[in-house]
Amino acid sequence: GAGVSQTPSNKVTEKGKYVELRCDPISGHTALYWYRQSLGQGPEFLIYFQGTGAADDSGLPNDRFFAVRPEGSVSTLKIQRTERGDSAVYLCASSSTGANVETQYFGPGTRLLVL
Amino acid sequence: AQSVTQLDSQVPVFEEAPVELRCNYSSSVSVYLFWYVQYPNQGLQLLLKYLSGSTLVESINGFEAEFNKSQTSFHLRKPSVHISDTAEYFCAVRDPSAAGNKLTFGGGTRVLVKP
C-alpha cells in the first residue's frame, strides 16, 4: 500500500485568493489530521477527522480555514482570502483504529506560498 | 495546554560520536511521547514512541529514548551517529485522556553529522 499522498506538492498564490489542498490517506485509515508547519517550527495541529466528521477543529486559526472529508477518505483543506502569514507547509497524516492507532503516518506536505 | 520544548535547535556532531537531543514537556497527566524524524526533502517518519511499560524505548536504527516522569523529559540518544542520521528530529506529546488524537510538537532539532 501507498502512503499518505498530498497534492499539489507546491502551491503559489496571491494574497486574497482561495486555495484547496488535498490529502489522500492510507487506505482503510479512519482518522485523518491536518497540521501546519511554519518555517523553523514544529508542526501545529489544525483539525482531526474520525470518519467523515471533524472530531476536533480547535487548531484552525480562524474562519478562513475549513476542511472537509465527505466520504471518510480523501480530505480537502480550504483556505479563503489567503494572507501572506498563511505561507507554510501543510501536512496531512492518517492513522488506523487497530492495534497501531497511536502511530500517525505523515504525507510529504504541500508547500504553500502566498505572495 | 500542553507544550514541548526542544532545547537545542541545532546539534552539529562528528560521525561515530554520540548525540543526545533533549525534549521536555509540560503536563501533569500521563502522556504518550513520540520522536519523529524528517530527512532532507522527505516527510515526517515515526522514529520511536513511549505509550506505557518500560521507560526505555529503542528504534531499529540504534536510537533510544528514556521517559522520565519526574523530570517530564524524553531525551533521544544514539551512541554512534552516521552521516545518514543527518535530519531534523521532532519530539511530540499526546494526552491519551483527551478526546481526539492530536500531537503537540516541539520546535525541532536539526542534527548535522560531519565526517
Side-chain angles (χ1 to χ4, degrees):
Chain A
V4 177
S5 62
Q6 293 185 244
T7 55
S9 54
N10 291 280
K11 176 70 177 179
V12 180
T13 191
E14 294 178 343
K15 179 176 178 293
K17 299 290 188 182
Y18 167 84
V19 297
E20 290 190 351
L21 312 179
R22 176 189 167 108
C23 172
D24 215 322
I26 293 172
S27 178
H29 280 191
T30 59
L32 184 146
Y33 318 80
W34 284 98
Y35 293 84
R36 178 169 70 174
Q37 186 174 15
S38 300
L39 192 62
Q41 298 182 24
E44 294 178 300
F45 170 79
L46 295 176
I47 187 169
Y48 156 62
F49 286 90
Q50 184 59 253
T52 60
D56 182 357
D57 63 358
S58 62
L60 294 178
N62 51 60
D63 61 5
R64 295 187 297 106
F65 288 75
F66 189 71
V68 296
R69 196 186 183 200
E71 298 179 356
S73 178
V74 170
S75 175
T76 304
L77 179 65
K78 308 180 180 192
I79 310 174
Q80 298 177 320
R81 305 182 304 279
T82 52
E83 300 177 356
R84 293 193 179 88
D86 298 335
S87 297
V89 177
Y90 289 82
L91 301 171
C92 177
S94 68
S95 67
S96 70
T97 54
N100 208 24
V101 64
E102 299 304 332
T103 299
Q104 296 184 23
Y105 297 87
F106 283 80
T110 293
R111 189 175 300 274
L112 175 67
L113 178 61
V114 182
L115 300 176
Chain B
Q2 293 175 341
S3 66
V4 178
T5 302
Q6 293 183 241
L7 294 169
D8 305 298
S9 59
Q10 293 188 63
V11 174
V13 57
F14 286 105
E15 192 174 18
E16 298 184 4
V19 71
E20 179 181 78
L21 309 183
R22 294 177 291 171
C23 172
N24 287 89
Y25 63 93
S26 65
S27 176
S28 59
V29 299
S30 296
V31 294
Y32 292 161
L33 294 155
F34 306 81
W35 276 99
Y36 278 83
V37 58
Q38 189 170 33
Y39 297 105
N41 301 314
Q42 295 187 29
L44 286 164
Q45 302 173 33
L46 180 68
L47 189 59
L48 46 76
K49 62 186 176 184
Y50 169 80
L51 304 182
S52 65
S54 172
T55 57
L56 185 66
V57 291
E58 299 176 350
S59 72
I60 58 173
N61 56 353
F63 282 92
E64 64 178 30
E66 186 159 19
F67 168 55
N68 187 318
K69 187 175 182 179
S70 63
Q71 297 186 6
T72 60
S73 68
F74 191 54
H75 301 332
L76 181 70
R77 302 181 185 92
K78 188 170 184 178
S80 175
V81 296
H82 303 291
I83 295 289
S84 59
D85 293 323
T86 292
E88 189 154 21
Y89 294 79
F90 294 92
C91 182
V93 63
R94 188 211 145 196
D95 177 0
S97 65
N101 199 20
K102 70 178 182 182
L103 296 172
T104 300
F105 285 87
T109 297
R110 192 174 297 273
V111 173
L112 176 60
V113 181
K114 303 177 180 180

